[in-house]
Amino acid sequence: MGYPHKSHPRETPVLSKHFGDPEARTLEGWKSRGGYKALQQALSMDPVAIQNVVKESGLRGRGGAGFPTGLKWSFMKLGDGKPHYLCCNADESEPGTFKDREIMRWTPHALIEGCAIGAYAIGAETAYIYVRGEFTEPIKRLEDALVEARKAGIIGPNAMGSGKKIDVWVHRGAGAYICGEETALMNSLEGKRGNPRIKPPFPAVSGLFGMPTTINNVETLAAVPHILNNGAEWYKAMCLSSPKSTGSKLFSVCGNVAKPGNYEVVMGFPFKEFLYDLCGGPPPGRKFKAIIPGGSSVPVITIEEAESVKMDYEGFLEVGTMLGSGGVIIFDDAQSMPRQLARLARFYAHESCAQCTQCREGTAWMTKILERIVDGHGTFEDLDTIFELSENMTGKTICVLSDSCGAPVTSGINRFRGEFEALIKGKRSSTVAVGA
Ligand SMILES: Cc1cc2nc3c(=O)[nH]c(=O)nc-3n(C[C@H](O)[C@H](O)[C@H](O)COP(=O)(O)O)c2cc1C
Ligand code: SF4
């Protein structure tokens, strides 16, 4: 299908309202659509008051963990005499996730505005947008928009005539998934190898260049101008289920589905209707079988479980998975789950930074064992070994990449054990080879 698609009547386009509209990319176009009013307002407010509006809105981080954004901002000690930094995480390398890319491609000024407000609210004069290296078009759009914003005095030494200095810079990554982990991102920005750091100290105490730093996802920051323009109550009212999950959310949909793409819905939207109505159901002649709803790092669920879910942080937790980044990966009944999960494990083994033994060895062994099973040489003991490995890989390492390898694999075995056992018993699957 063409992309971006025309908004479905049941979507709530807030962040995606101008996707597909090239005029919205320009400063003039953005301003005529209400752009930079929120920044102007923010610069006349006390930073703590901005933090409070964001707290009140219930906005939670869209990068994966769902941490409350206003609360995260309040960890920054204002007036401590140190340089503060805002990092915008635009690394977006989680398989199945491509929403930040579209925000940057179509509405770069929305992100710049969100970054400038966020920076001011945490006492920072500098914000860095760390962009996935392969995102050549979004980088160009951002750089063009930054030139315009600087030239117009929206950012710079006297942002919007406020007398306050706020600058925003783009930094291009080099294609490593691990550089999306917040402390690896900071190391990479500093010109070091992108290895995650041991926490504590947390970034709000010692982050970029050892200074207090806040890191937020693209979608999180792009939501902030809308919250300031429309008020915390407006944002909070966008909620169809749990009051702990508010606002609209972009879900990237890929895999075996009739209409892949990004869809923006209010938190708590029924997943069944999302899958069959907005996304058009499975490809002709197929049935949905399994779903990874929050990017590849979260547990797999069956279609039956998925159909009962309300799409918010709590709703996905109820069926044993997570909302994560909102990357919905769909498998139909023609797919072999062992093959798919072996492929995912290989991705994590490849992307491990190798600092922690449990992760370096665990992801590699998990891949080897899964590929052995797929090739018809597995044993029943292999399944037990995978669970043992996963236990040793979870909660014991510097970052959660290690956990992220175990979660889809063990949940997949628990839900689709019959497929693994069939391969072990010698019934080979007919679909394409691992890694193909
Ligand atoms: C291996 C790994 C990769 C990650 N990749 C990303 C990413 O590409 N984008 C992102 O926003 N967060 C990513 N995160 C989460 C970040 O560490 C961090 O929690 C997030 O940027 C915080 O922003 P938020 O509070 O707005 O969600 C990743 C985490 C891990 C462990
Ligand atoms: S868990 Fe894996 S990716 Fe994360 S720091 Fe340890 S070795 Fe590196």
Side-chain angles (χ1 to χ4, degrees):
M1 81 186 262
Y3 192 73
H5 64 274
K6 200 167 165 283
S7 188
H8 188 281
R10 297 191 66 193
E11 282 188 75
T12 303
V14 176
L15 301 168
S16 58
K17 189 173 172 194
H18 303 294
F19 285 5
D21 170 6
E23 278 181 26
R25 287 171 169 159
T26 63
L27 179 58
E28 203 185 305
W30 188 242
K31 282 174 94 173
S32 70
R33 286 161 183 75
Y36 290 112
K37 277 193 192 139
L39 177 60
Q40 183 96 65
Q41 182 197 338
L43 290 169
S44 67
M45 291 167 71
D46 184 74
V48 176
I50 304 173
Q51 293 177 8
N52 288 339
V53 174
V54 175
K55 266 187 201 166
E56 187 51 31
S57 74
L59 175 65
R60 291 167 67 177
R62 304 305 198 217
F67 194 84
T69 307
L71 182 64
K72 189 187 264 194
W73 289 4
S74 71
F75 296 154
M76 299 289 282
K77 212 171 154 200
L78 298 172
D80 59 2
K82 296 180 183 172
H84 288 188
Y85 293 105
L86 177 76
C87 291
C88 171
N89 194 338
D91 195 55
E92 199 168 55
S93 307
E94 176 88 351
T97 313
F98 44 88
K99 62 188 176 66
D100 298 342
R101 182 190 71 194
E102 296 309 295
I103 292 175
M104 293 184 280
R105 277 182 74 205
W106 294 107
T107 55
H109 285 286
L111 181 59
I112 295 168
E113 188 173 5
C115 285
I117 297 171
Y120 175 64
I122 59 160
E125 293 185 339
T126 309
Y128 293 104
I129 306 176
Y130 185 100
V131 192
R132 174 182 176 148
E134 295 93 332
F135 279 178
T136 46
E137 192 201 336
I139 290 171
K140 166 97 177 82
R141 301 286 172 216
L142 275 175
E143 281 175 342
D144 288 351
L146 280 172
V147 168
E148 283 185 306
R150 247 179 241 128
K151 210 166 150 194
I154 288 170
I155 52 171
N158 180 19
M160 298 195 95
S162 64
K164 284 144 194 157
K165 180 176 174 223
I166 299 177
D167 222 332
V168 183
W169 303 99
V170 168
H171 183 96
R172 187 177 178 156
Y177 170 64
I178 194 58
C179 288
E181 195 281 334
E182 55 189 20
T183 56
L185 184 151
M186 289 170 201
N187 272 341
S188 174
L189 257 175
E190 290 177 15
K192 299 174 185 152
R193 187 186 155 104
N195 280 354
R197 301 174 182 170
I198 291 172
K199 290 183 271 189
F202 290 96
V205 175
S206 175
L208 188 63
F209 305 116
M211 294 298 142
T213 304
T214 293
I215 180 156
N216 281 128
N217 171 258
V218 168
E219 189 185 354
T220 313
L221 290 165
V224 170
H226 296 285
I227 294 171
L228 284 197
N229 280 331
N230 299 298
E233 287 305 318
W234 164 82
Y235 197 77
K236 240 165 63 176
M238 283 196 281
C239 167
L240 296 172
S241 184
S242 166
K244 290 184 188 162
S245 295
T246 62
S248 63
K249 171 85 190 87
L250 278 165
F251 287 91
S252 310
V253 180
C254 70
N256 307 123
V257 58
K259 296 180 188 167
N262 280 305
Y263 295 87
E264 187 172 8
V265 291
V266 168
M267 284 287 194
F269 194 91
F271 203 20
K272 188 174 180 181
E273 293 168 34
F274 179 86
L275 292 169
Y276 292 95
D277 188 2
L278 278 67
C279 306
R286 301 272 182 230
K287 285 185 189 145
F288 287 146
K289 177 163 81 175
I291 296 189
I292 303 183
S296 63
S297 302
V298 310
V300 185
I301 51 173
T302 63
I303 183 60
E304 291 76 21
E305 289 171 309
E307 287 180 1
S308 70
V309 165
K310 300 269 189 265
M311 300 171 77
D312 60 22
Y313 294 103
E314 292 68 32
F316 283 112
L317 270 182
E318 268 174 34
V319 292
T321 186
M322 287 186 282
L323 182 144
S325 62
V328 179
I329 306 170
I330 305 181
F331 305 97
D332 70 17
D333 55 353
Q335 302 309 314
S336 153
M337 292 313 288
R339 280 179 197 280
Q340 295 293 345
L341 297 171
R343 199 168 174 164
L344 266 189
R346 175 168 281 281
F347 168 78
Y348 287 103
H350 183 264
E351 298 298 329
S352 167
C353 83
Q355 285 187 103
C356 317
T357 310
Q358 296 92 326
C359 177
R360 184 185 61 243
E361 300 297 320
T363 54
W365 276 107
M366 198 167 272
T367 308
K368 271 187 200 166
I369 295 171
L370 283 166
E371 290 182 352
R372 178 159 83 209
I373 293 173
V374 170
D375 286 345
H377 304 299
T379 64
F380 286 99
E381 290 75 45
D382 280 341
L383 295 180
D384 298 334
T385 308
I386 287 176
F387 279 93
E388 208 179 304
L389 267 174
S390 174
E391 204 182 313
N392 284 315
M393 289 162 68
T394 303
K396 298 180 175 69
T397 50
I398 296 175
C399 86
V400 294
L401 183 142
S402 182
D403 312 43
S404 303
C405 181
V409 171
T410 52
S411 57
I413 298 176
N414 280 332
R415 284 165 171 87
F416 298 97
R417 197 174 183 100
E419 289 190 34
F420 288 84
E421 292 185 346
L423 282 169
I424 291 168
K425 283 180 196 156
K427 292 184 194 158
R428 302 186 57 150
S429 167
S430 60
T431 38
V432 290
V434 175

